[in-house]
Amino acid sequence: MRTGVDFPIFYFIVLLCMGTPGSSHLKKELSLEGYPSTYLPTRGEPWPKPQHVTKYGQLFMVVRPPVFRFETVRNTCDLVEDALKRYYALINRRHSTLQRFRNDKKNDAEKPWKGTPNYVGYLDVLKIDLMTPCEAYPNENMDESYELKIDTPDLVGQGLLVASSNWGILRGLETFSQLLYPTSDYAALQLNSTLLLDYPRFSYRSVLLDTSRHYLSKQVILENLDLMAMNKYNVFHWHIVDDQSFPYQSRVFPELSEKGAYHQYTHIYTQEDIADIIEFARRRGIRVIPEFDTPGHTRSWGYAWPDFLTECFTSRGQPDGTFGPINPLREDAYKKMAQLLEEVINVFPDSYLHLGGDEVDFDCWKSNPEIQNYMQSRNLTDYSILESAFMLEMMNIVKGLSPNTTYVIWQEVFDHGARAINKDAVISVWMGNQTEAGKELDRVTALGHRAILSSCWYLDYISTGRDWPKYYLCDPQNFNGTSAQKRLVIGGGAALWGEYVDSTNVTPRLWPRASATAERLWSSQTVNNTEEASHRLEEHRCRLVQRGFNVQPPNGPSHCLVDWNTRN
Amino acid sequence: MPLKLEPIQLAFLVCSFFIVDFSDAYLAPIAARLPLKGTPSPPGTPWPEPMSANFSISIATIGNRDSITFTSNLNNCSILNSAFNRYSPDLIFRDLPVESASGYPVFAGIEIILPSGIENQCGEYPRLALEEERDTYEKYELRVEQDSDSTVTAKIQAWTVWGALRGLETFSQLIWQNGTSNNFFINISQIVDSPRYPHRGFMIDTARHYVDIPVIETILEAMSYTKLNVLHWHIVDDQSFPFVSKTFPELSAKGAYLPELTYEPEEVQDIINYARDRGIRVILEFDTPGHTHVYRKSFPQLLTPCYGDGVNPGTPSPDKHAAYEILDPTKEFTYSFMKQLFTEIKNVTKDEFIHLGMDEVYYSCWQSSPEITAFMEQNNYTEYSQVQEHYTLRHLDMVKSLGAKPLIWHDPLEFGVNLDKDIVLQVWKKNGSDWAPYLQHALDEGYQVILSSPWYLNYIAYGETWREYYESDPVLSLPNITEDQEKLILGGEACVWAEYADPTNLVQRVFPYIGAIAERLWSPISTLDKNRTDDAMHRLDQHRCRLLWRGIPAQPIFNGYCFPQEKSIRRSSKK
């Protein structure tokens, strides 16, 4: 990733944010009235916030596991049934972990909430109405909308989840699980009478994990896919290889991971691992989009293929022992790329493929006599032309292999050769502050490209304190452009580059900071009050902790009813 | 394939130290044009760096998993025996089989040699070494020697059991694995080692977030692997009171976050003993007169009512003070309550020091209070610092009368309070990034000090933040320090205030970065040559991999990986 240039600016920002760090033990964050202040968690408020919510006074129903069950009407499929089992287990587990707080021990009739006027009754069944047969794989056109009715006027005392696709059922089940909160005596779970109509604002909502700078175990990736589903993310952007290591075990080129992985047996993703990850994601409505970044960020490829990369030279014209981007003059490089990309397109079912194209180091190309001669013989001076030509060829290869594949490219490819790029390429905007990223989104969409944004969501950049509001308030459509242009922004995502992240710290570093991005991408543009969100995020964090994930505290001093407990 | 030669491997090749393959910790550069700096260290390099060490190129093979046998002339010493159990085959080899490599002498066990007459230490707790015993208190000499053609043994000479523990830790770090083979080796070596400072601490805060006991134990384990010897336990604060007091059970009954998020007296005792077994002192901090808001839940009369509206007691003033703040120094009840509480604490703690806090006493509430005004008139006080001094001196005298030694944050000194010279000050303030004047001030006033200013690990940032910790030196950062003043520096402490840290992220956040501070406090001042920070990076990475090997989820310091088994290491501190 993203070396060098960002550091000084970043440190400057950190210093600004820290103020005079020595002046306080952070006490200043305590407010005065409620001193010491904490953000009290909401109860039964979903994250991300649904689009339309109607509540009916203080009416509530009670779910009593294990009596509670789901009941499918109309369509179902293995994917829905699997999800129902998952959420059934999750709700039961929630219930059982609360039993130790139970202070009733009284019989059923004496439950304190039973006598209250707002108690409607037990919700023992949630009907699941899937209107159309299941789709097998999540995709760019997936319909994630759903309607959830709990004791609505037209359905008094009952619960119903309706969706036109199985993906909507998944999102609705997640929301349903989040509506539940403990009754006052902890004997059961309750939820408010609610009508909820929900759908995502953006269709592309991604988390990028980088498995090259550090290897992430399959278990940790699966754990984070679970967390993604619990935050209604729908894309896992898998930055699978880079300069540092090549853990993807290729069928056609096994030598790439044999020589380029950190360890050829243990620090790789076998085809079986990848199939497991794709399947686990599919069951949660998450697309897996792999990124094979070229022509830069490819040093690890050179362990297997030394001639694949450009040899760098000293100013005196001697090889300096280092290697730069892929050598774009070698015919062989294109043949190999075509073979590898053909495999990748077959292995990953999603119609999107990320081709990278960022941060190409022109200095090495400039130093290389072969490339110098090529440039001189054609009277070329701008080395970015080489990058553009290479990337255009990659795009041609992909189109030739699979006309239905959509390629995603980092913004430099667009910046260096905008007009030549096919209009259906999706441009990934990652550079600059919000203003600069907005200008880029304007340029990209003005030429008719779809765009995704991650500039403001580089979660590997950490700082002290409550940093999530800045992610929360970054809006992908906040730029000068026509409404048609804004519709071309299909979403974006959080990126956790791996220089300082591995299996030891990836989960707490990513969550709940990525939850802020998740709500920005799912909920209405008008959901932008960080104070209101703080309380819901506090609940959401504890919800994820209670589900067994080490999700770090977002708001300052706090505790959860069921804390992340190493003894659990 | 020229590319295959990573700088780290290249360095190993040119270094003719070893004659076999290498593995341990592998850092990877960001880009080819930004190669790693510094000289990689061979596997089996200890952290922190010993005072003096000679490693021979001769090596001995470890015969099998049970070859690490311990003997000592000090029999039936529980501290030593529990250490022998800890340095088990599982710790050193994980679940790997161990095979003898042919052609090398075989390692035949380790012997601990201690002076006779120190048996009583085996039932004691470690303490701050007295000035005259500092040269020997944690000192050890470790020799890995060839006895005959076929066998090699290790001997640790130490002067206390604590020194023996440090020597055992170093010994355990000398054993290295040859690549991914089942061959383990140790180099013939001579090490003479003793810490630069006697107080090398880590402060945890269990009030902003509760930290459950297995995590505290994990921290203590990892501290012992890093030769840190003080756990400063900031156990209560404004937000919660998890310490269960027998004298005043209401404090935790009403002040803990939840009834189960508490530390029972027996649990505190268990932690103290767990630390003792590892040669770590536990210093409890009960912070007064500020940071005491939680007392209001059970004993509201302890706090000063503020007059935020100018008329009514118990009213806040926006941006100035809360409704109630700071212990009420005008009431006798405050002093008698604290005497009872600290009498209990004195019995709970096994360390001679109790940390009394005394930080961040802000005057705006007192300034609003007519009771404080009357109190000042009564005592002829003209400054609010005299009110602070009034409480501070009475509290310090009371705690001293209980037989404890007070340790406090340096705030009272900065506020002009006159303190006795036997009070140890912990220096935490800094102005921007400049902390040296605060340390110099405390030294100029003649106090013994513990430095924390540059080592607040709760301030996080992107990148290699450990370098700044590593290059912050209590002596070299002070241009005008005198030799006498140098002797007043007892050591330092890394601190993690827990507003944003809890068991979900605490261990990862601290380890291995705290290693930078541990080496600063343990190793000779000569390690602080800035060119050597790049070398230290490779050793610190090796140390992080060692921690990972031992099940501590220490986070990465740079691109790279540790060893094949890394994949199966638990990512969290769940046991």
Side-chain angles (χ1 to χ4, degrees):
Chain A
M1 174 200 74
R2 330 301 117 149
T3 53
V5 284
D6 290 326
F7 288 15
I9 300 164
F10 179 73
Y11 280 118
F12 178 65
I13 292 167
V14 168
L15 287 176
L16 278 181
C17 297
M18 287 168 71
T20 49
S23 63
S24 167
H25 284 177
L26 291 182
K27 177 180 169 179
K28 295 266 156 50
E29 301 196 0
L30 306 171
S31 83
L32 298 166
E33 292 296 334
Y35 179 85
S37 84
T38 53
Y39 286 96
L40 292 176
T42 50
R43 294 194 303 165
E45 296 294 333
W47 187 283
K49 195 178 178 107
Q51 298 281 352
H52 303 285
V53 183
T54 308
K55 288 185 188 170
Y56 301 96
Q58 308 286 314
L59 295 178
F60 68 93
M61 297 192 72
V62 169
V63 162
R64 44 177 174 177
V67 176
F68 172 79
R69 63 193 170 84
F70 298 110
E71 187 181 299
T72 53
V73 295
R74 284 201 262 191
N75 299 289
T76 185
C77 61
D78 64 334
L79 202 143
V80 168
E81 293 299 322
D82 179 69
L84 294 180
K85 269 185 212 150
R86 229 168 38 235
Y87 283 99
Y88 182 74
L90 192 138
I91 291 165
N92 278 350
R93 183 182 159 192
R94 171 103 187 267
H95 176 67
S96 59
T97 57
L98 291 171
Q99 292 311 295
R100 68 174 185 270
F101 300 106
R102 217 168 146 161
N103 50 20
D104 61 324
K105 309 299 175 205
K106 295 174 187 167
N107 67 41
D108 202 54
E110 289 174 82
K111 291 188 182 308
W113 34 270
K114 274 206 159 175
T116 63
N118 288 319
Y119 170 64
V120 176
Y122 286 121
L123 180 73
D124 285 340
V125 176
L126 180 70
K127 284 194 175 147
I128 310 292
D129 185 357
L130 171 57
M131 294 160 72
T132 59
C134 285
E135 281 184 327
Y137 281 93
N139 55 70
E140 61 174 323
N141 299 315
M142 65 206 272
D143 180 354
E144 297 172 278
S145 65
Y146 65 92
E147 191 177 28
L148 183 58
K149 294 180 174 183
I150 306 297
D151 182 41
T152 53
D154 61 329
L155 212 64
V156 173
Q158 296 178 61
L160 175 66
L161 170 61
V162 191
S164 49
S165 89
N166 47 319
W167 315 119
I169 296 291
L170 292 182
R171 303 297 172 246
L173 282 170
E174 180 56 41
T175 302
F176 175 75
S177 76
Q178 298 191 5
L179 293 176
L180 300 169
Y181 59 98
T183 54
S184 56
D185 58 355
Y186 299 103
L189 299 164
Q190 68 183 78
L191 74 174
N192 301 329
S193 299
T194 308
L195 169 64
L196 212 144
L197 181 64
D198 200 14
Y199 48 85
R201 178 178 166 204
F202 292 106
S203 63
Y204 185 104
R205 306 181 309 279
S206 68
V207 167
L208 178 151
L209 293 178
D210 167 4
T211 57
S212 174
R213 275 57 180 252
H214 287 97
Y215 182 80
L216 297 174
S217 69
K218 184 172 99 178
Q219 182 201 349
V220 165
I221 291 176
L222 299 185
E223 174 178 310
N224 280 282
L225 285 167
D226 249 337
L227 285 159
M228 284 166 65
M230 291 168 188
N231 288 276
K232 295 192 172 68
Y233 275 107
N234 68 351
V235 174
F236 168 31
H237 174 173
W238 193 352
H239 188 86
I240 190 165
V241 300
D242 204 297
D243 280 330
Q244 283 74 17
S245 75
F246 196 104
Y248 173 81
Q249 189 179 45
S250 164
R251 292 173 191 158
V252 287
F253 299 119
E255 67 269 28
L256 284 168
S257 62
E258 268 166 30
K259 303 211 167 134
Y262 279 136
H263 190 282
Q264 62 167 323
Y265 301 129
T266 55
H267 286 55
I268 58 167
Y269 302 102
T270 64
Q271 290 295 325
E272 194 187 340
D273 291 337
I274 292 163
D276 289 349
I277 286 166
I278 292 170
E279 175 62 11
F280 193 91
R282 181 185 80 90
R283 287 170 180 268
R284 284 153 185 79
I286 298 171
R287 305 157 59 193
V288 179
I289 299 180
E291 176 182 352
F292 283 79
D293 196 352
T294 62
H297 289 279
T298 46
R299 192 161 46 88
S300 66
W301 306 46
Y303 298 140
W305 298 341
D307 296 338
F308 188 67
L309 302 184
T310 308
E311 201 171 9
C312 313
F313 285 71
T314 64
S315 53
R316 289 200 224 145
Q318 300 299 316
D320 71 0
T322 68
F323 291 78
I326 294 173
N327 187 333
L329 304 185
R330 302 275 166 84
E331 220 22 67
D332 186 53
Y334 298 93
K335 282 189 198 151
K336 283 183 165 135
M337 285 307 300
Q339 279 178 273
L340 182 68
L341 290 175
E342 183 177 16
E343 172 183 323
V344 168
I345 287 166
N346 285 324
V347 167
F348 292 88
D350 202 79
S351 66
Y352 279 41
L353 172 62
H354 203 306
L355 295 174
D358 60 320
E359 294 186 319
V360 179
D361 173 16
F362 297 147
D363 290 345
C364 183
W365 278 347
K366 285 179 188 168
S367 79
N368 181 291
E370 182 189 358
I371 294 178
Q372 285 169 357
N373 290 340
Y374 176 87
M375 295 291 282
Q376 278 161 13
S377 68
R378 283 163 181 73
N379 274 332
L380 297 172
T381 51
D382 181 0
Y383 280 75
S384 74
I385 285 169
L386 288 179
E387 177 203 351
S388 300
F390 181 87
M391 290 306 293
L392 285 172
E393 189 51 32
M394 289 305 109
M395 292 185 253
N396 285 336
I397 288 171
V398 171
K399 274 292 160 229
L401 290 166
S402 167
N404 294 327
T405 295
T406 298
Y407 32 73
V408 187
I409 43 182
W410 295 110
Q411 71 178 78
E412 290 103 309
V413 186
F414 170 84
D415 296 344
H416 295 156
R419 267 169 293 279
I421 299 171
N422 208 323
K423 287 289 170 282
D424 62 4
V426 175
I427 312 298
S428 186
V429 175
W430 68 272
M431 296 169 92
N433 59 28
Q434 279 194 52
T435 311
E436 289 157 353
K439 286 179 182 161
E440 180 76 358
L441 288 169
D442 178 23
R443 286 190 291 269
V444 166
T445 53
L447 285 183
H449 286 289
R450 285 169 290 173
I452 50 182
L453 175 70
S454 56
S455 301
C456 46
W457 295 314
Y458 266 37
L459 302 189
D460 49 321
Y461 290 156
I462 52 171
S463 57
T464 307
R466 240 165 69 98
D467 63 350
W468 64 267
K470 73 181 179 215
Y471 308 128
Y472 192 72
L473 295 175
C474 175
D475 195 293
Q477 288 175 327
N478 183 17
F479 64 93
N480 288 325
T482 63
S483 55
Q485 275 179 277
K486 293 191 179 177
R487 278 195 299 276
L488 286 169
V489 179
I490 58 171
L496 189 63
W497 298 97
E499 281 84 352
Y500 301 97
V501 177
D502 72 359
S503 300
T504 63
N505 60 358
V506 58
T507 302
R509 185 151 298 183
L510 188 54
W511 309 101
R513 296 162 74 229
S515 302
T517 309
E519 179 149 300
R520 178 58 44 237
L521 293 169
W522 177 280
S523 306
S524 162
Q525 188 164 18
T526 59
V527 176
N528 55 15
N529 179 337
T530 52
E531 285 305 293
E532 185 272 344
S534 296
H535 298 276
R536 269 188 305 112
L537 187 59
E538 196 67 28
E539 180 186 16
H540 189 54
R541 181 260 169 166
C542 286
R543 174 187 294 138
L544 300 176
V545 163
Q546 186 271 327
R547 291 179 183 185
F549 301 100
N550 54 333
V551 172
Q552 70 179 12
N555 288 323
S558 68
H559 75 284
C560 299
L561 181 60
V562 179
D563 240 331
W564 193 75
N565 186 322
T566 52
R567 282 172 286 195
N568 278 351
Chain B
M1 279 173 293
L3 254 188
K4 186 63 186 172
L5 285 182
E6 292 287 324
I8 185 166
Q9 291 161 318
L10 195 63
F12 278 151
L13 285 183
V14 294
C15 153
S16 60
F17 229 60
F18 293 90
I19 44 172
V20 280
D21 193 14
F22 305 97
S23 80
D24 229 347
Y26 297 95
L27 289 175
I30 286 180
R33 63 192 159 81
L34 297 170
L36 291 169
K37 294 176 187 166
T39 308
S41 49
T45 304
W47 185 282
E49 187 159 277
M51 190 165 75
S52 95
N54 272 306
F55 295 100
S56 157
I57 57 166
S58 304
I59 55 178
T61 180
I62 311 294
N64 59 59
R65 281 180 67 86
D66 300 320
S67 296
I68 314 295
T69 55
F70 302 92
T71 53
S72 172
N73 63 332
L74 195 61
N75 292 320
N76 303 321
C77 178
S78 64
I79 287 170
L80 278 188
N81 290 343
S82 85
F84 297 160
N85 288 332
R86 284 201 306 280
Y87 291 101
S88 66
D90 285 349
L91 182 95
I92 295 171
F93 308 116
R94 290 179 58 82
D95 55 351
L96 297 180
V98 174
E99 288 163 15
S100 182
S102 61
Y104 298 97
V106 179
F107 181 77
I110 177 160
E111 185 187 356
I112 317 288
I113 304 150
L114 284 159
S116 54
I118 65 156
E119 287 78 3
N120 59 333
Q121 280 179 1
C122 298
E124 287 178 357
Y125 291 83
R127 52 182 166 75
L128 179 71
L130 302 173
E131 205 174 332
E132 58 272 21
E133 60 187 12
R134 277 186 201 152
D135 287 341
T136 55
Y137 196 68
E138 290 177 278
K139 182 184 180 177
Y140 66 92
E141 293 178 15
L142 168 59
R143 283 183 301 281
V144 183
E145 298 172 325
Q146 187 142 12
D147 297 336
S148 67
D149 285 352
S150 58
T151 60
V152 162
T153 55
K155 291 186 184 64
I156 292 173
Q157 165 81 59
W159 288 262
T160 69
V161 291
W162 319 116
L165 293 181
R166 305 293 170 248
L168 277 169
E169 176 55 37
T170 302
F171 165 77
S172 74
Q173 298 188 2
L174 296 184
I175 297 167
W176 52 276
Q177 185 186 6
N178 177 23
T180 54
S181 77
N182 294 326
N183 298 146
F184 287 79
F185 293 99
I186 187 167
N187 286 61
I188 305 293
S189 37
Q190 298 86 37
I191 293 171
V192 179
D193 200 9
S194 182
R196 179 178 170 199
Y197 292 114
H199 184 114
R200 305 177 307 281
F202 173 45
M203 190 214 77
I204 57 169
D205 165 7
T206 57
R208 273 57 180 253
H209 285 102
Y210 181 79
V211 180
D212 67 342
I213 290 164
V215 174
I216 297 177
E217 290 173 350
T218 301
I219 287 168
L220 287 165
E221 257 178 71
M223 284 173 69
S224 76
Y225 302 154
T226 313
K227 294 194 174 69
L228 290 164
N229 69 351
V230 178
L231 179 74
H232 169 179
W233 191 353
H234 186 88
I235 191 166
V236 301
D237 205 300
D238 284 327
Q239 288 78 5
S240 75
F241 200 103
F243 174 80
V244 178
S245 160
K246 285 182 176 161
T247 320
F248 300 114
E250 307 93 310
L251 285 169
S252 60
K254 295 187 177 164
Y257 279 132
L258 286 174
E260 61 177 22
L261 301 184
T262 53
Y263 306 102
E264 297 286 339
E266 306 76 43
E267 292 174 324
V268 173
Q269 207 57 64
D270 287 348
I271 288 172
I272 290 171
N273 289 337
Y274 191 96
R276 185 264 315 265
D277 281 351
R278 288 155 181 79
I280 297 172
R281 301 159 55 201
V282 177
I283 296 179
L284 299 175
E285 177 180 353
F286 284 80
D287 196 352
T288 65
H291 290 275
T292 45
H293 194 266
V294 71
Y295 290 86
R296 197 181 155 215
K297 292 182 179 164
S298 41
F299 297 93
Q301 64 272 45
L302 281 170
L303 296 194
T304 311
C306 319
Y307 287 70
D309 63 1
V311 182
N312 295 302
T315 51
S317 172
D319 299 329
K320 284 188 179 166
H321 58 74
Y324 296 84
E325 261 192 21
I326 317 286
L327 293 185
D328 189 341
T330 68
K331 303 241 176 68
E332 273 313 303
F333 175 74
T334 304
Y335 300 98
S336 63
F337 181 96
M338 286 299 150
K339 184 163 189 182
Q340 287 183 74
L341 179 63
F342 276 80
T343 302
E344 177 181 358
I345 293 164
K346 177 69 182 83
N347 286 328
V348 170
T349 184
K350 297 298 173 223
D351 204 82
E352 57 193 340
F353 284 89
I354 299 175
H355 202 304
L356 303 180
M358 304 278 184
D359 58 319
E360 297 187 309
V361 180
Y362 298 123
Y363 298 153
S364 56
C365 174
W366 284 351
Q367 284 163 346
S368 77
S369 159
E371 283 92 2
I372 296 287
T373 307
F375 178 75
M376 289 172 71
E377 283 167 7
Q378 206 177 17
N379 288 287
N380 285 327
Y381 293 158
T382 54
E383 304 290 333
Y384 288 92
S385 64
Q386 292 172 294
V387 181
Q388 182 180 358
E389 185 170 72
H390 183 97
Y391 174 82
T392 303
L393 298 183
R394 273 194 72 173
H395 191 55
L396 287 169
D397 283 346
M398 180 273 286
V399 171
K400 278 199 241 178
S401 75
L402 298 173
K405 290 186 180 173
L407 167 61
I408 61 173
W409 300 104
H410 66 136
D411 302 47
L413 176 71
E414 295 299 319
F415 279 81
V417 172
N418 290 308
L419 300 161
D420 289 347
K421 299 298 177 191
D422 60 351
I423 309 296
V424 178
L425 301 182
Q426 184 166 5
V427 175
W428 67 273
K429 286 172 185 272
K430 52 180 179 176
N431 186 3
S433 61
D434 191 15
W435 49 267
Y438 289 106
L439 180 59
Q440 187 65 57
H441 181 208
L443 295 172
D444 288 343
E445 296 293 327
Y447 293 99
Q448 291 190 304
V449 294
I450 290 159
L451 177 65
S452 287
S453 303
W455 296 321
Y456 267 30
L457 299 184
N458 48 300
Y459 290 126
I460 57 170
Y462 180 81
E464 299 174 71
T465 48
W466 64 271
R467 285 174 180 265
E468 199 182 327
Y469 308 143
Y470 192 72
E471 292 176 355
S472 296
D473 190 89
V475 170
L476 297 184
S477 300
L478 271 51
N480 300 320
I481 192 170
T482 66
E483 256 178 59
D484 286 344
Q485 287 177 340
E486 281 187 38
K487 288 182 191 145
L488 293 173
I489 301 173
L490 298 177
E493 276 183 16
C495 300
V496 174
W497 297 98
E499 280 81 356
Y500 297 93
D502 77 354
T504 63
N505 60 1
L506 179 58
V507 177
Q508 296 88 323
R509 188 160 286 187
V510 174
F511 294 95
Y513 288 28
I514 197 175
I517 299 153
E519 178 152 301
R520 183 60 39 240
L521 297 171
W522 177 281
S523 304
I525 197 166
S526 59
T527 53
L528 187 62
D529 163 354
K530 295 209 176 186
N531 299 323
R532 297 194 61 200
T533 307
D534 292 328
D535 297 346
M537 178 183 190
H538 296 274
R539 281 191 302 112
L540 184 60
D541 187 55
Q542 196 182 123
H543 187 59
R544 109 103 175 169
C545 293
R546 181 182 296 129
L547 293 171
L548 209 55
W549 178 263
R550 297 179 180 186
I552 309 292
Q555 70 178 0
I557 63 168
F558 208 63
N559 302 313
Y561 82 109
C562 285
F563 40 78
Q565 295 81 1
E566 177 189 281
K567 194 174 169 178
S568 62
I569 306 260
R570 287 216 56 100
R571 73 208 177 280
S572 68
S573 47
K574 280 195 184 189
K575 286 187 173 172

